[in-house]
Amino acid sequence: MEKRQLVRVLSQKDVVSLAFGAMIGWGWVVLAGDWIAEAGSVGSIFAFLIGGLMVVFVGLTYAELVSAMPKVGGEQIYTLRALGPRYSFVASWGIALGYISVVAFEAVALPTVVDYLFPNYRAVYLWTVAGYDVTLTWALVGVVGAIVITVVNYLGIRPAAVFQGICTLLLALVGVLLIFGSFSGGEPEYFRPFFVNGLDGLLTVLVMTPFLFVGFDVIPQAAEEMKIPSRMIGILLVYSVLFAVIWYIVVIVAVGLGLHPGSLGKIELATADALAALMGHPLFGKILVLGGIAGILTSWNAFFIGGSRILYAMAEWGMLPGWFAKLHPKYKTPSNAILLIGVLSVIAPLFGREMLVWLVDAGGVNIVLSYFLVAVSFLVLRKKEPEMPRPFRAGKGPFVGIVAVILSLFIGVLYLPGMPAALIWPYEWVIVLCWWLFGIYMLLRMPTRLESPEQHFPG
């Protein structure tokens, strides 16, 4: 296997901003009103606590595994060592769709936020997709954003990390405003009703959480580009998940206290309007939207990093064509993988705003599949290789892994036909089926034997 040349430049601060920024994209701005309308204020909080609990337990399994195997590829490496190449491909291919769906989601989210800042900027009708009129100016905003993010990532991990840090700082400042506004200008009576639509409402919100929390797993993808102790990688991963849980709860509380429940279904950007109401001036709504743009950029940037690294790692191990394993001779980035993801993100805005919801669910089910296989790998390696060095240990026994497996299965079932949060036919199912049909084709072409991972990660 060709020697890797990824450069180690990421600090602890870079790692935290990478993971936290990945998990805090644009969904909290555009979807918060829908969460409360579907499940109620307290119901939404419960949904995020349950989803966050699953992610915390899964995150703990990742934390142990990345500390033991701090190599590019993350899920691919863990499942390869524990379960073999076929399962490794499934986990890697699933998380790759999760990453690429987030990148595409943000390319659609960016022109949506510009609607809030410049309501009349849409011009030159192109076509209608699922009832949404796509215009040239609207689509161009997403296309230009996709090109900029692609260029930043192409030029190296250091520029991408600096960009991530600046945007994450702006995001944190908006979080402070949300907390201050909730305490100073909130209306407690708006927080009712606490629950809406019973269990169905809670499950509808719960099924969105894997997509909204995905991002901590970007840390393992960039593990070979970090200049910190392997144990610290695991610790920072867990902290980033806890920070994201707190963030989403803060958003729900702010929207619940800032807006009358009857208005939630009529507002496109509920979080922005909630902050404006809490602070008593529309300017704060614009400020929050700027924070939302920062969230779009942090998530977009982080998943470009994660998506390109998983494709690069799969190619290195012979699971994908070697074209994806090419590193740029100057910038030391997986340039071909970055360009492919860039092209897909350029295309996404052409499908209109409805693409947002389709990508949330289509990406979410694949993310949960990968989480499940990583949790299983955690248990298998605990039994098969108990002496493997684990600088960060997620408990002494298998409890963490067992809970992660059970919770991943539970949320995965919610996507199946007949369940309250089943994937939408045909749009979401078409995305998932096309991805996996191509995946099956690649899986059948994959060599039956891959180089032993133990040669790279002695236990």
Side-chain angles (χ1 to χ4, degrees):
M1 184 179 293
E2 187 176 324
K3 185 179 179 181
R4 298 168 179 165
Q5 300 173 344
L6 296 168
V7 291
R8 294 187 180 273
V9 298
L10 298 180
S11 65
Q12 293 186 27
K13 181 180 65 176
D14 295 328
V15 172
V16 172
S17 66
L18 181 66
F20 178 74
M23 287 184 279
I24 311 302
W26 172 247
W28 60 280
V29 180
V30 73
L31 298 174
D34 295 335
W35 303 334
I36 298 175
E38 287 287 349
S41 55
V42 177
S44 298
I45 291 174
F46 276 175
F48 273 87
L49 285 174
I50 295 170
L53 183 66
M54 182 207 75
V55 175
V56 166
F57 275 96
V58 173
L60 284 168
T61 65
Y62 271 85
E64 177 170 307
L65 293 171
V66 71
S67 73
M69 295 169 277
K71 301 293 180 181
V72 65
E75 296 85 354
Q76 182 229 14
I77 296 299
Y78 316 147
T79 50
L80 182 62
R81 183 162 181 170
L83 305 174
R86 300 299 180 187
Y87 287 103
S88 178
F89 180 92
V90 171
S92 305
W93 194 245
I95 206 68
L97 176 57
Y99 290 157
I100 293 171
S101 67
V102 176
V103 171
F105 176 95
E106 306 302 358
V108 180
L110 185 60
T112 303
V113 68
V114 174
D115 271 337
Y116 187 92
L117 296 173
F118 307 102
N120 300 315
Y121 88 101
R122 288 187 285 177
V124 187
Y125 170 81
L126 295 178
W127 45 69
T128 300
V129 180
Y132 186 86
D133 294 338
V134 182
T135 64
L136 178 62
T137 52
W138 189 93
L140 274 177
V141 171
V143 170
V144 172
I147 293 171
V148 170
I149 296 295
T150 302
V151 170
V152 169
N153 275 270
Y154 192 88
L155 294 178
I157 189 67
R158 185 71 257 167
V162 171
F163 178 82
Q164 187 80 0
I166 294 170
C167 293
T168 302
L169 180 60
L170 178 57
L171 197 59
L173 293 174
V174 169
V176 172
L177 286 177
L178 285 170
I179 294 172
F180 178 79
S182 298
F183 280 105
S184 63
E187 297 287 347
E189 62 269 23
Y190 287 176
F191 218 59
R192 296 179 183 273
F194 295 148
F195 296 93
V196 176
N197 298 326
L199 182 61
D200 283 357
L202 188 146
L203 293 178
T204 299
V205 177
L206 177 61
V207 79
M208 298 182 189
T209 59
F211 183 91
L212 295 164
F213 280 119
V214 66
F216 68 88
D217 40 79
V218 171
I219 289 180
Q221 299 300 338
E224 280 192 39
E225 295 164 280
M226 298 175 187
K227 55 177 183 180
I228 59 178
S230 57
R231 182 175 184 273
M232 184 56 64
I233 299 176
I235 293 172
L236 295 176
L237 188 153
V238 175
Y239 281 165
S240 67
V241 173
L242 295 175
F243 292 157
V245 173
I246 294 169
W247 174 272
Y248 283 116
I249 291 175
V250 166
V251 169
I252 292 170
V253 170
V255 174
L257 292 173
L259 296 177
H260 189 282
S263 67
L264 292 175
K266 307 170 187 176
I267 298 175
E268 187 171 5
L269 301 180
T271 313
D273 287 351
L275 184 60
L278 290 169
M279 303 298 287
H281 197 285
L283 174 63
F284 287 93
K286 305 290 185 182
I287 293 174
L288 186 132
V289 169
L290 293 177
I293 293 175
I296 290 173
L297 297 176
T298 58
S299 182
W300 207 342
N301 185 54
F303 283 102
F304 240 108
I305 294 171
S308 59
R309 271 60 177 179
I310 188 63
L311 295 179
Y312 165 76
M314 291 178 75
E316 271 209 319
W317 287 88
M319 295 180 179
L320 291 178
W323 183 84
F324 290 101
K326 179 185 176 183
L327 286 177
H328 193 281
K330 178 180 179 180
Y331 304 122
K332 308 304 180 184
T333 55
S335 51
N336 288 343
I338 288 171
L339 290 175
L340 175 66
I341 296 174
V343 169
L344 294 175
S345 62
V346 163
I347 294 171
L350 302 178
F351 289 89
R353 189 180 184 280
E354 291 303 308
M355 194 71 167
L356 287 172
V357 178
W358 303 340
L359 290 169
V360 167
D361 293 340
V365 66
N366 285 273
I367 290 163
V368 172
L369 171 63
S370 296
Y371 287 174
F372 168 75
L373 289 174
V374 169
V376 171
S377 299
F378 171 90
L379 293 173
V380 170
L381 289 173
R382 275 290 187 94
K383 184 174 182 179
K384 188 171 75 171
E385 300 187 51
E387 302 305 319
M388 181 174 69
R390 294 171 170 86
F392 178 96
R393 290 188 67 91
K396 293 183 178 180
F399 176 75
V400 167
I402 292 171
V403 174
V405 166
I406 293 172
L407 291 175
S408 299
L409 279 174
F410 169 71
I411 293 185
V413 167
L414 299 181
Y415 292 96
L416 298 179
M419 297 300 291
L423 296 183
I424 298 172
W425 177 265
Y427 307 107
E428 295 171 2
W429 277 110
V430 166
I431 294 172
V432 173
L433 291 175
C434 287
W435 182 258
W436 280 103
L437 283 174
F438 186 66
I440 291 170
Y441 170 75
M442 297 304 300
L443 181 62
L444 293 175
R445 290 172 55 89
M446 192 176 77
T448 55
R449 292 180 61 85
L450 300 178
E451 186 176 351
S452 171
E454 281 80 0
Q455 294 181 32
H456 290 272
F457 319 118

